[in-house]
């Protein structure tokens, strides 16, 4: 685990954390636990926040979800701000037509981890 952040950038702080012991294998794909990733970020940056920005239906019946993650200082200075999109996918990583609420929720959690990966 990295030490508490100081003057280093968010990237410099997060990119040195070894995530390999916190992944899961499902259907031939490796996933990082969203709960572990978020917990790790909050330990280093308690003021970190995320927002689910909604699901966008596409013409083929599939959907894209969007998540924003940002970190501010106690004085409101933004240290990092990432918004990303991710399609709602099935267990084969193929788009889901007319996804159910569980599939949409899973996509949000994966999109959250994607945002965190861009941060480091």
């Amino acid at each position: 685990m990295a030490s508490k952040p100081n003057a280093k950038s968010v990237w410099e702080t997060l990119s040195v954390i070894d995530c390999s012991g916190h992944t899961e294998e499902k259907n031939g794909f490796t996933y990082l636990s969203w709960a572990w990733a978020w917990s790790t970020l909050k330990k280093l940056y308690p003021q970190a926040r995320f927002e689910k920005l909604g699901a966008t239906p596409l013409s083929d019946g599939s959907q894209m979800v969007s998540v924003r993650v940002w970190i501010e200082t106690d004085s409101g200075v933004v240290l990092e701000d990432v918004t990303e999109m991710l399609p709602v996918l099935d267990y084969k990583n193929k788009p889901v037509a007319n996804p159910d609420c569980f599939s949409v929720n899973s996509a949000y959690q994966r999109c959250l981890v994607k945002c965190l990966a861009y941060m480091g």
Side-chain angles (χ1 to χ4, degrees):
M1 172 61 88
S3 61
K4 286 283 187 188
N6 52 28
K8 293 194 290 186
S9 71
V10 172
W11 177 266
E12 290 171 316
T13 300
L14 297 179
S15 65
V16 296
I17 298 172
D18 181 7
C19 301
S20 61
H22 304 281
T23 59
E24 304 166 12
E25 296 284 331
K26 289 184 184 177
N27 300 311
F29 297 100
T30 303
Y31 296 93
L32 180 63
S33 162
W34 73 265
W36 179 84
W38 184 249
S39 172
T40 300
L41 182 70
K42 289 292 280 187
K43 286 176 188 170
L44 292 167
Y45 298 99
Q47 65 279 40
R49 303 285 182 265
F50 77 92
E51 179 181 13
K52 296 176 181 178
L53 300 174
T56 303
L58 303 175
S59 61
D60 65 357
S62 64
Q63 293 185 16
M64 296 284 286
V65 299
S66 298
V67 172
R68 176 183 175 221
V69 178
W70 71 99
I71 302 170
E72 294 181 358
T73 64
D74 291 333
S75 60
V77 175
V78 176
L79 298 175
E80 193 72 45
D81 192 342
V82 174
T83 301
E84 190 53 57
M85 296 172 52
L86 190 77
V88 178
L89 303 172
D90 65 12
Y91 69 96
K92 295 179 183 177
N93 272 4
K94 302 293 181 202
V96 176
N98 304 311
D100 60 23
C101 60
F102 184 83
S103 297
V104 172
N105 184 64
S106 295
Y108 275 124
Q109 302 313 90
R110 290 177 185 148
C111 194
L112 171 62
V113 173
K114 186 178 179 183
C115 285
L116 298 179
Y118 281 124
M119 291 183 173

